[in-house]
Amino acid sequence: MVNELSLFSRNEELEELPTSDIRYLLLPAILGDLTLRLTGEERLEVVQKGKTYFVDYLKRCRQYGVTKQEIPQDPPVAAARPAPGGRPNLMGMQANREEKIRRYKEAKELEDKLKALGSWSDIRHRDDEVQRKFYQLYLTKWVSTSLEQIGNIQQEIEILQHMAKMKESAASRGPEQDQRQQQQLPPNQPRKQPMKPFILTRDAVQAQVYGAGYPSIPTMTLDEFYQKEIREGKIQLDSHNPTPVSERQQAEDQEIKKETQIETDDPEALAKARQWDDWKDDHKRGWGNRENMG
């Protein structure tokens, strides 16, 4: 409908738009966010459609001078996946971490400014200048959100495409070939060794404890066992659902959030940190452990 009404033109500047029309610039970003929430369609088609909306929003914002951020380009096919066994790009990981911290700080500042101006229901009753400032802040906020979503979508697309190739390869072999491979291995392929017993632990610390008492039995954590099952093809991920974020990524994002909250003197974060320090002062380490007395 917005395109049919021709509300926006490439020859216009943001200052030339009526205040009531600025909010409609947000439509592609909102459509992209809602598209990613769809669950009844093929996941690969959903994320590609959502990416198209976010890219269209960034192009429109660059056209009207809302941002000068470059639009992320699709990586080359050869560089889409790192070579197996290759070393991780530490410089790239550090740059990615710093970029996340910068965007988080900017989002926090934008949230504070938006709260000071009021909500969507209140802003309609404010004067024209306040309304324009409110809408422009929301445009900037969704620019940062769109950039982050495009990065996440690109990672998910690579995983979904890889899973689709694996399924096609398995389907092309056929059941007869799979049965023949199970019955007799080729001469140059060694037979698989029988699975040795091991102790499944919750974390690495618990693995060290059990390993010290049972040196003849290897140990592994739940995360190591899960990754091992995926590599061997015993666990198949569902392509219709969004790819879950790893525990390591969640812990890193949580740590970044805590650091930035403390650096910006966030009252809630500082209060929680002080309460935790007071609790540790009053409860010495080892108190309450009644099993290993002595």
Side-chain angles (χ1 to χ4, degrees):
M1 181 180 293
V2 173
N3 294 332
E4 293 177 357
L5 294 176
S6 300
L7 293 180
F8 307 114
S9 173
R10 295 183 178 181
N11 301 323
E12 291 180 329
E13 297 291 339
L14 187 64
E15 291 75 12
E16 301 176 8
L17 289 177
T19 302
S20 58
D21 292 349
I22 295 179
R23 55 186 173 178
Y24 294 115
L25 288 171
L26 292 167
L27 283 178
I30 296 175
L31 287 173
D33 184 70
L34 294 176
T35 300
L36 294 181
R37 302 171 189 267
L38 297 176
T39 57
E41 302 180 12
E42 185 69 24
R43 183 61 188 173
L44 183 58
E45 297 179 0
V46 169
V47 294
Q48 288 175 339
K49 188 184 299 183
K51 182 181 179 181
T52 302
Y53 282 126
F54 287 121
V55 171
D56 180 63
Y57 174 73
L58 292 176
K59 289 180 179 179
R60 188 67 58 87
C61 287
R62 283 176 57 85
Q63 173 186 332
Y64 279 94
V66 177
T67 182
K68 295 182 180 180
Q69 291 278 357
E70 294 292 335
I71 300 175
Q73 301 296 325
D74 294 338
V77 178
R81 280 188 166 274
R87 295 183 179 180
N89 185 1
L90 299 180
M91 296 295 293
M93 295 170 63
Q94 179 65 22
N96 187 29
R97 176 184 174 85
E98 293 176 357
E99 181 67 16
K100 284 184 177 182
I101 294 176
R102 184 186 65 81
R103 288 181 183 174
Y104 179 81
K105 290 181 178 180
E106 290 181 354
K108 192 73 169 61
E109 293 176 1
L110 286 173
E111 286 291 343
D112 295 338
K113 292 179 180 179
L114 288 170
K115 287 181 180 179
L117 292 177
S119 62
W120 279 92
S121 57
D122 299 333
I123 203 66
R124 294 180 297 177
H125 307 292
R126 308 289 292 274
D127 56 61
D128 186 80
E129 183 178 355
V130 175
Q131 290 186 32
R132 292 187 72 89
K133 184 177 181 180
F134 180 83
Y135 296 143
Q136 289 176 13
L137 287 175
Y138 254 100
L139 291 174
T140 305
K141 175 186 175 183
W142 275 97
V143 166
S144 178
T145 302
S146 298
L147 290 171
E148 182 177 359
Q149 290 285 20
I150 289 176
N152 296 336
I153 289 172
Q154 186 58 42
Q155 293 180 3
E156 187 172 352
I157 287 176
E158 294 173 7
I159 295 174
L160 293 173
Q161 289 176 343
H162 179 69
M163 293 173 60
K165 290 180 180 179
M166 292 178 61
K167 289 183 178 180
E168 290 178 1
S169 177
S172 62
R173 288 198 301 264
E176 296 181 358
Q177 186 176 358
D178 289 341
Q179 186 177 3
R180 186 165 54 252
Q181 290 179 353
Q182 293 176 2
Q183 292 176 354
Q184 184 177 4
L185 294 173
N188 58 349
Q189 183 175 354
R191 290 186 174 273
K192 293 184 179 180
Q193 296 295 331
M195 188 173 181
K196 297 181 179 180
F198 61 90
I199 298 176
L200 189 63
T201 61
R202 290 190 177 182
D203 50 35
V205 176
Q206 196 177 47
Q208 293 176 0
V209 173
Y210 284 123
Y214 304 89
S216 61
I217 301 179
T219 59
M220 65 175 64
T221 64
L222 286 172
D223 185 64
E224 292 172 348
F225 178 74
Y226 181 72
Q227 296 298 331
K228 174 178 175 295
E229 294 295 292
I230 293 179
R231 288 196 302 269
E232 296 178 357
K234 297 179 181 179
I235 296 180
Q236 297 292 335
L237 299 178
D238 188 1
S239 62
H240 294 280
N241 296 325
T243 305
V245 182
S246 63
E247 295 181 0
R248 182 181 300 175
Q249 184 68 24
Q250 291 180 350
E252 181 181 350
D253 294 342
Q254 191 68 18
E255 187 66 22
I256 291 174
K257 184 176 180 180
K258 289 182 180 179
E259 290 179 5
T260 51
Q261 285 179 341
I262 294 176
E263 289 177 2
T264 55
D265 296 334
D266 186 87
E268 184 177 354
L270 291 175
K272 289 183 178 180
R274 293 194 183 100
Q275 291 176 2
W276 176 241
D277 291 338
D278 294 340
W279 189 91
K280 288 193 296 185
D281 292 339
D282 296 337
H283 301 77
K284 300 300 182 182
R285 185 174 183 179
W287 287 12
N289 185 6
R290 309 303 299 173
E291 295 184 4
N292 300 324
M293 298 178 62

